[in-house]
Amino acid sequence: MSIKQFNAGWSKKEDRITLNINTSEGELFRFWITRFIAKHLLEGAQTLIQSGLETKHNPRASQVIQEFQKDAVKQQLNLNETFEGGDKKPLGDDPILVIGLTLNLNNEKVKVRLQLDNGKTASFDLLLSQLQPLVVLLEKLSITADWQLISGDDAVSNLAQSTQG
């Protein structure tokens, strides 16, 4: 399944992120993402983005390009865009807890495989270019949740942005 659109929000009551995924097949999936899963999703996504860039550039240039792309996504990301629900809800209306994940890069596509608390697995295809917006969104929500997943200059920069806007 290919991801058409995603959005997410932080639930203070649950101390979890709700991740909603709309597929190109018109399906809607809702997941609970814990701090642990968010941390590993962010780390894995950033590693894959870096790996994808390193196929075309040296490691240092790739790191600079990744930071540039991330800044560009932060500037352009529309967090107020209307999320389209899906007609079909294969896992039901309520979010399902994600208990594990794997990310695999194959050329310009990322295979996202989520292990769910109900014993099922959900797999999605994501373009490598869609990964950076997901990273930016999860980082923003982790700051709101005060999960302290971002370290160093990124945390200071993001905190300054979140207090200004």
Side-chain angles (χ1 to χ4, degrees):
M1 277 180 278
S2 296
I3 294 177
K4 177 181 173 185
Q5 189 181 27
F6 56 83
N7 78 354
W10 177 66
S11 169
K12 184 176 182 176
K13 178 182 174 189
E14 297 285 339
D15 192 26
R16 295 179 182 168
I17 291 173
T18 53
L19 175 64
N20 301 302
I21 295 175
N22 181 340
T23 69
S24 54
E25 291 83 13
E27 297 174 317
L28 174 64
F29 295 87
R30 300 186 69 221
F31 304 105
W32 283 122
I33 306 291
T34 62
R35 181 186 183 282
F36 177 82
I37 295 295
K39 177 180 188 282
H40 290 286
L41 180 55
L42 285 170
E43 290 171 355
Q46 290 168 337
T47 299
L48 288 182
I49 292 168
Q50 182 77 18
S51 296
L53 289 169
E54 286 179 4
T55 62
K56 300 172 188 161
H57 309 282
N58 69 52
R60 179 66 188 136
S62 296
Q63 191 174 21
V64 171
I65 292 168
Q66 182 179 6
E67 287 304 315
F68 177 76
Q69 288 176 344
K70 190 177 195 178
D71 289 341
V73 168
K74 285 179 185 177
Q75 298 291 324
Q76 298 171 357
L77 191 63
N78 181 2
L79 297 175
N80 297 319
E81 182 179 339
T82 302
F83 181 76
E84 301 171 18
D87 295 334
K88 305 171 218 149
K89 298 176 186 170
L91 299 176
D93 290 327
D94 297 325
I96 304 291
L97 180 64
V98 176
I99 58 171
L101 72 109
T102 57
L103 301 171
N104 293 304
L105 179 61
N106 185 9
N107 295 322
E108 293 293 312
K109 282 194 175 181
V110 177
K111 174 67 85 178
V112 179
R113 187 170 176 260
L114 304 175
Q115 298 164 334
L116 307 177
D117 189 39
N118 64 3
K120 294 183 180 181
T121 301
S123 295
F124 303 96
D125 292 324
L126 187 66
L127 294 175
L128 190 57
S129 61
Q130 292 175 301
L131 210 48
Q132 195 67 271
L134 181 60
V135 166
V136 169
L137 179 59
L138 289 176
E139 284 182 351
K140 190 171 195 66
L141 289 170
S142 73
I143 290 168
T144 301
D146 194 24
W147 283 356
Q148 302 172 2
L149 298 180
I150 305 169
S151 61
D153 294 335
D154 282 345
V156 173
S157 170
N158 284 322
L159 183 59
Q161 288 178 6
S162 68
T163 57
Q164 292 172 358

